Amino acid sequence: MASFASYQTHFKAFGVGILLAALGVGAYLQFGPAASTDLPTLTVYKSPSCQCCSEWVTHMKEEGFPVEVESKLRMKPVKNQVGLPESLAACHTAVVGNYVVEGHVPAQDVKQLLRDAPDVRGLSVPGMPVGSPGMERGNRVEPYKVVTFTPSGETTVFAEYGR
């Protein structure tokens, strides 16, 4: 005849399992993929339902940026508040330090912006070009430009992709 462990034995095993899981989560949070302490926090304003914006946030986190996300049902007031020219608009708007980052700008370009610290308002990838970070669709990359912009709306090409 088979013997069965008591409920007390099951509860002890369950408790040990919970403890080990908590320790694992704690270790992951302490030693797992983390944001670089060298990079400032990127605050991203996005629609709560925008999947490509969420994918761009993931790209920025993977590149070491600490990221805070603020969901907004209406993005136009955010874009107006940060001084973004309408012609440069995309789906999400981010602020890092004193700069605005509009749309699917690659993390390497944001890092270069922060390193070089040019006298501009920010960077933008207008629209939603396929192949930009967060807009990946296989190997397809539409040609697109990352531009700097000034408070008065002047733009300069910062980087080009998909050529």
Side-chain angles (χ1 to χ4, degrees), residues 2 4 7 12 15 33 43 57-58 62-63 67 69 72 75 77 83 85 104 114 118 128 131-132 136 142 147 149:
F4 294 99
Y7 283 112
K12 285 180 187 175
T43 302
V57 166
T58 299
E62 288 173 349
E63 291 296 322
V67 179
V69 175
K72 299 287 184 181
M75 288 298 300
H104 295 272
L114 294 170
M128 298 168 59
S132 59
E136 293 90 353
E142 294 176 346
V147 297
F149 63 95

Side-chain angles (χ1 to χ4, degrees), residues 96-109:
V96 60
N98 293 322
Y99 293 109
V100 174
V101 179
E102 178 69 9
H104 295 272
V105 176
Q108 66 190 21
D109 293 339

